[in-house]
Amino acid sequence: MNTTGRIFTLTTFGESHGEAIGGVVDGMPAGIDIDLNFIQQELNRRRPGQSNITTSRNEADRVELLSGIFEGKSTGCPIGFIVRNENQHSSDYDNMREVFRPSHADYTYTQKYGVRDHRGGGRSSARITISRCVAGALAKLALRQLGIEIVAYTSQVGPIALERDYHLYDLTQTESNAVRCPDQQKAEEMIQLIQQVKAEGDTIGGIITCVIKGCPVGLGEPEFGKLHAQLGAAMLSINAVKGFEYGDGFAAVTQRGSEQNDVFTVGHDSIVTTKTNHSGGIQGGISNGQDIFFRVAFKPVATLLCEQQTVDIHGEETTLTARGRHDACVLPRAVPVVEAMAAITILDAFLVYKSGKKEDF
């Protein structure tokens, strides 16, 4: 399961401390303008060492596109790419060679495969999300020509939370601070909390909100291809994600149907629309033309720089204090990953809906 998608597909490869991370994107429509600077910018948003609240691992994360592009446009052929690993400190993980990190993938990978790469988690490392960001950037370039925009932001870190209604914020301000929160005051509080947690050698989680604008009516298929199910699967495949809700989500359980129903009306140009959007832009598993919005919950990073009880590969109880360069909070660097997976999912759903007809682009 190293491939996702039905028409627009991504196959990834690589390990955290291997030679490179990479992938192959297939099903990219031909004739899409490929903006290399934009793709690199998306990678830069994910890269380590951006600020003092992220890991200090210093990687340039320069993408090399190997195929599928000619004279600045996609050819319709597979797009191969790699991003070379250049700043591994594998010795930082020597004390973990025979020890299972609590709540990490060490134990499950060892039991499943009988082989374990202890250097940064190997294939289970969040560094693998580089490939998703490259594919997501390509998907965004195609969606841009369709007028579909995707923006995500940090809406909660620990107990510090924004209001649930994204309309209350200027989302163009998301990139104006290190934590990627559109509320400057809340952003400062979040940053201070992350710095405090980091100084204690601990970690903390939070929530990312994502909004998709301009999505046409009709994406998603019954019965097992519902759009919200596809988005949920995409988000839950991201490292450290523990929950997904769309529209009003779990908050809707306290309301009655008369409060929750999105009443239909006729809008501009005699187009049917809804007066509210409690459904989050998806009804019956199919997009209804309203904004699609959802929330993704991230647990605290499993690797702590303080002592924890654990066991080793021989079944003996022991203690572990991790070394190395780790994020105290994954949220700031996960924002572009959430956007990328949303873009991949929406473009694939659009191509299924339209059967990839050239005239749609």
Side-chain angles (χ1 to χ4, degrees), residues 153-158 164 204-210 231-232 234-246 250 294-301 329-331 334 338:
Y153 62 92
T154 299
S155 55
Q156 183 169 343
V157 172
R164 291 175 64 97
I204 196 162
I207 294 174
I208 290 174
T209 298
C210 185
L231 287 167
M235 298 306 141
L236 289 165
S237 74
I238 300 172
N239 306 57
V241 169
K242 302 296 283 186
F244 169 84
E245 63 174 357
Y246 73 103
F250 287 103
F294 56 85
R295 289 153 46 92
V296 186
F298 286 78
K299 71 171 184 175
V301 176
C329 179
V330 74
L331 274 293
V338 167

Side-chain angles (χ1 to χ4, degrees), residues 143-333:
L143 293 174
R144 180 188 294 175
Q145 297 190 202
L146 298 170
I148 299 174
E149 177 188 8
I150 299 173
V151 59
Y153 62 92
T154 299
S155 55
Q156 183 169 343
V157 172
I160 303 170
L162 274 60
E163 297 291 336
R164 291 175 64 97
D165 187 353
Y166 65 90
H167 294 98
L168 299 174
Y169 304 98
D170 180 0
L171 302 189
T172 64
Q173 298 301 306
T174 299
E175 295 293 320
S176 64
N177 55 72
V179 77
R180 294 197 163 91
C181 171
D183 184 308
Q184 296 303 319
Q185 180 177 343
K186 290 287 188 179
E188 287 301 320
E189 295 177 19
M190 292 175 179
I191 291 170
Q192 290 176 15
L193 177 58
I194 295 171
Q195 290 173 333
Q196 175 189 338
V197 168
K198 183 178 181 179
E200 296 169 355
D202 214 333
T203 62
I204 196 162
I207 294 174
I208 290 174
T209 298
C210 185
V211 183
I212 305 172
K213 294 179 176 289
C215 192
V217 180
L219 305 194
E221 299 81 40
E223 172 173 349
F224 301 109
K226 292 181 172 67
L227 186 58
H228 59 270
Q230 296 178 50
L231 287 167
M235 298 306 141
L236 289 165
S237 74
I238 300 172
N239 306 57
V241 169
K242 302 296 283 186
F244 169 84
E245 63 174 357
Y246 73 103
D248 285 358
F250 287 103
V253 303
T254 62
Q255 296 183 325
R256 299 188 179 190
S258 56
E259 299 172 286
Q260 259 296 300
N261 282 354
D262 294 318
V263 176
F264 288 110
T265 185
V266 178
H268 298 295
D269 300 324
S270 299
I271 295 175
V272 174
T273 184
T274 57
K275 292 183 177 181
T276 55
N277 189 21
H278 300 295
S279 302
I282 303 172
Q283 293 172 325
I286 298 172
S287 60
N288 67 1
Q290 299 295 313
D291 290 351
I292 296 172
F293 63 93
F294 56 85
R295 289 153 46 92
V296 186
F298 286 78
K299 71 171 184 175
V301 176
T303 302
L304 310 184
L305 298 181
C306 57
E307 187 174 274
Q308 296 184 87
Q309 295 292 319
T310 188
V311 298
D312 61 24
I313 61 175
H314 307 292
E316 299 292 329
E317 292 189 354
T318 184
T319 60
L320 169 68
T321 300
R323 300 194 297 262
R325 302 159 295 175
H326 306 280
D327 288 292
C329 179
V330 74
L331 274 293
R333 296 175 59 215

Side-chain angles (χ1 to χ4, degrees), residues 7-9 23-32 34 66-70 73-81 138:
I7 294 180
F8 182 86
T9 67
V24 177
V25 168
D26 203 359
M28 181 71 171
I32 302 297
I34 303 299
L66 306 177
S67 61
I69 298 168
F70 180 68
K73 293 184 180 293
S74 58
T75 64
C77 299
I79 299 176
F81 62 88
L138 290 166

Side-chain angles (χ1 to χ4, degrees), residues 33-46:
D33 292 326
I34 303 299
D35 185 341
L36 295 178
N37 290 332
F38 174 76
I39 297 172
Q40 186 59 55
Q41 179 185 350
E42 292 294 278
L43 272 183
N44 291 345
R45 295 172 65 213
R46 195 225 68 94

